Amino acid sequence: MASFKRLILAMAATAPLFAPVAAEASIRDTVTQLLDQFATVAHPDAIAPEKPIMLPATQHVAAPDQSAFQAEISGFNMPTLPSMAVAELPDPSVEMPLKKLACVEYARARSGLAVFGDAKFWWARAKNLYARLRTPVENSVMVFTASSKMRLGHVAVVTNVVSKREIRVDQANWLNHGEIDHSTPIMDVSAKNDWSKVRVWDIKSGQYGNVYAVSGFIAKDPTRQADAE
């Protein structure tokens, strides 16, 4: 590299002896161009580029749309609290009517269900007439299964659904005195929370009583779909 440069400079120095003085500037310009071209070939990094090198722009990832996420989860049916607080419910009470009532005639009058016969027949006779449900809804009739303790079965009208495990009912003749029991608490004690087994509040002792089997709930609304047949 150094020897070649000296050779070029020597040629440039002797050029005025062989050419007119007017051509000296042109020869020097040509020599300068040759040196620049050689330097470019030998060390390309030493020559600054004509245009600045632009680094790629940093890509920013947009944050997820939180409003879209909230709109998506809002479509889910989330659990809700009971429509009425327990403190707002009336206390359990007993009414003695002028005429002693059976549970079936009281439940029929309160619910409007056209089902007849002893309570133990109501679940089967409601088939194809009304919706038969496994879980309680307000104004439905709760059907107790006949047993050695209740040979004729029993029916009661659901007045309030307090929680997944507790309801209130109005019923007649629960104590076999022809009385009307208002706002009686009933607790589901089944293992699967399917209301197949319950305990009924005993107003005399102030606690829940024995365990009773339940067939299900009969709803008058014909648009309801039965949970199971």
Side-chain angles (χ1 to χ4, degrees), residues 60 100 141 156 181 188:
H60 298 282
K100 291 183 178 182
V141 172
D181 298 300
D188 171 40

Side-chain angles (χ1 to χ4, degrees), residues 145-156:
T145 307
S147 65
S148 58
K149 297 179 181 179
M150 292 190 304
R151 294 183 300 103
L152 301 180
H154 183 72
V155 288

